[in-house]
Amino acid sequence: MKTIAYGSISFALLAALSFAAVVLMVRLGPSRWLQDEQNFYWATWSIAVVGIIFILANVYQAIFDVHAITFVNGWFSGTTGNPQHAAVLVVTTLPCFIFLIESCKQWNWKKNLWIIGFISITIALFFTASRTGVLMFSVLFLFFYRHKIGGLLKLGLICGIALVVFLPLLNQDAGLGISYTTAINKLLSGDNTRAGVWSALWRAFINNPFFGAPLKGDRLGYGESSWLAAAATLGLVGLFPLMLFGLDCFRMINKLIQTAKKQPRYALHCNTVIAGLATLLAGSFSEAFLLGNLTFPLIALLMYLSMGSCLLEANARVQRQLYESQYSDDLSIVKP
């Protein structure tokens, strides 16, 4: 509405239609066909395959020219065009990779395939040199393995071995023009590249607390934080509903934690959604992907919410069946 009133009407309508189409797609698609455990498996499979396609597409490009998928300083950006966006994309798929690996009880070609994909995604994340990605990666494992320190150490060991084995092969001496030291220097750098942007967004919000700063150009421009960007560009009018959305996500996380305790059969499923939601919410504080119209993190977030709703509905059905069974048994006791 702000863009329509003060900027490009055509862009505003296109943005509204794009976002509405995404919501409608999720409403008519996953939220309806997510009805059983097999559907949940295919939902995680679809998100994980995005990561595999991303890796394969960039490996294919690297065969011809590796520099076309990196910035001049060597940070991996892939087909996203930005290392931060690449990091958010690959980390978003990791909860589903872990689910697919853990759900395979026996070692077979499927499990090996998912492990290879997981390792490839981890290496790609490292070369983005994104500290936001590292933060999301840490949140992912802390939430997924909050009760399984052994599993956390096991996957950490796999990642460590993969880095030790593959990183020396990608040194600048190999002739690929990729250096792991560049990524390490960025990750260990103490420079705060967000402070200036965040300060500017906060000042814009303080100066225009209700409706946000005046529109510059013909469309809204967001900074490097979903929450501060909403406050700066839309004021309390835009920040309040976004906060309600965030609270609803935290409410679902809490319900899924309780469900995982009551229904151990669905603990892996619940942990996947919990990790996915927590990871995306953590990344939203330093990237503005919650305010996108047609982005993979946004679609994945809606998918995780649909998967969480499916699990909560399944738990409600189980509880209702137990209650009805217990109630019928009680009635049989008092029958003459």
Side-chain angles (χ1 to χ4, degrees), residues 204-224:
F205 171 63
I206 294 299
N207 296 331
N208 304 274
F210 295 106
F211 299 103
L215 191 68
K216 295 180 179 179
D218 60 352
R219 63 186 68 178
L220 292 173
Y222 299 121
E224 295 172 332

Side-chain angles (χ1 to χ4, degrees), residues 91-130:
V91 176
T92 301
T93 67
L94 285 179
C96 296
F97 274 98
I98 298 176
F99 172 84
L100 294 168
I101 293 172
E102 296 284 354
S103 61
C104 294
K105 302 304 181 182
Q106 298 179 349
W107 285 91
N108 51 34
W109 67 271
K110 289 184 179 180
K111 187 166 187 174
N112 291 331
L113 175 64
W114 296 124
I115 291 176
I116 292 172
F118 178 87
I119 293 174
S120 301
I121 290 290
T122 304
I123 293 174
L125 172 63
F126 173 81
F127 278 108
T128 63
S130 170

